[in-house]
Amino acid sequence: MSLASPTSLAAIPSPSNAVWQLGPIPIRAYALCIIAGIVVACWVTERRLRKRGVAPGAVLDIAVWAVPAGIIGARIYHVITSPQEYFGTGGDPIRVFFIHEGGLGIWGAVAGGAIGAWIAARQLGIPLTVVADALAPGLPLAQAIGRLGNWFNNELYGGRTDLPWGLEIHRMDGGQALRDEAGQPILEEGLYHPTFAYELLWNVGVAAMVYLVDRKLRLGRGRAFALYVMGYTAGRFWIEMMRTDEANTILGVRVNVWTAALVFLGALIYFLRVRGPREFLIPVGLPAVATTGPATSDVSQVDLSAKGATTEPAVPEGYRVVSEEQFEHWRRTGEAPPEAVDPVDAGSQPGTDRPDDEVATAARTLGEPSQGSAGGPVGAAGERPGSAGGPADDEETGSASDSPAEGTATESAAARPADRDS
């Protein structure tokens, strides 16, 4: 049996068991860590989405698409960057589907998860940038928890070290440490850099940074997620260069180092170029919002009395993007801001878009009582005013034209709308 260096006064031990049998079912520590990370990320995202106006439970609808797509993407990235394990000499293509043996790439997980989240967000009517910003602090926490699985598997460590936090590494086979004749787990000689722990701590720091910066600057339009990407890739760049596990290289540099650098630049460009306030959402197709709750509540409360006594949660038809001020007003009063109207679409034919107050002004100019926009000029006492454009209007216009003064005033008033439209 090879023991750790005797000159080391301290070391980080590694588990000698990464798989437990529950009858015929293997329970893998790596899978448990991944699941725990997903749960934490969903919890954080749910809270942040609700503070932006999304109905409770939406994160589950998103996770149904994003999690499987993320796992598939992570596996595809691993297979593409390490094809010799499956298609090279001695490789076995069927092992592409053996995810339980390990081999998931974070870059593929983010890309695949983004595709799944986009599909779900479109179905829910939520902008993808809102989902991404809500996820930004939770994703690095999920990654940190997932790295504990590498500790159980005795993998992803760095070079030899005599630091007090050097890592003991077991010789593993099938999730179990190999044992000597005395039944003791066999250790690799010396201690190693715990690069999985470095990345774990870095990810926790990235989560804290994103949370604090987002809270201070109130980032929107996907910029909080871009900040997470920059923070994570900056750490992954130097941590990846410390790892000693086998990996493909380009110009003598590990592929993941190149990927980290390129993704960092892409996120930096996005963060610097994209501008805009944080987006808030108002649900569409729900009953009025209750106004009795506190304005600082992070729960979108809905009055369900209009739909009768039911315990089923109301599901919005979609969402409208509004400003923070409009969102706070809606949450206090239940009054949604008016839809923005395109001035071009709102226009009408010249002379026909005059509001009621302008009609009243024209009527007063003629010395006649105001009657609103629908009726024509009110005639003398006892005469019935005609409807707009009808024969009675023609008759009254004809009788009014008998008076030169009234005819002149009428023509002057009729010319005014055209002057305003020109």
Side-chain angles (χ1 to χ4, degrees), residues 115-202:
I115 294 174
W118 174 75
I119 295 173
R122 281 182 60 87
Q123 294 178 346
L124 297 172
I126 304 173
L128 181 60
T129 54
V130 174
V131 177
D133 284 340
L135 174 64
L139 187 52
L141 289 179
Q143 292 175 256
I145 297 172
R147 282 305 178 203
L148 289 175
N150 302 130
W151 178 53
F152 278 94
N153 286 347
N154 287 248
E155 62 186 3
L156 303 189
Y157 49 87
R160 295 277 294 271
T161 181
D162 57 359
L163 292 171
W165 54 83
L167 181 68
E168 296 178 346
I169 297 296
H170 292 100
R171 296 179 183 175
M172 304 289 287
D173 182 28
Q176 306 289 336
L178 298 176
R179 298 180 180 271
D180 59 16
E181 296 178 354
Q184 296 298 317
I186 300 176
L187 291 171
E188 298 287 354
E189 183 178 356
L191 301 177
Y192 301 82
H193 279 287
T195 51
F196 81 89
Y198 297 161
E199 188 170 335
L200 184 157
L201 295 175
W202 184 272

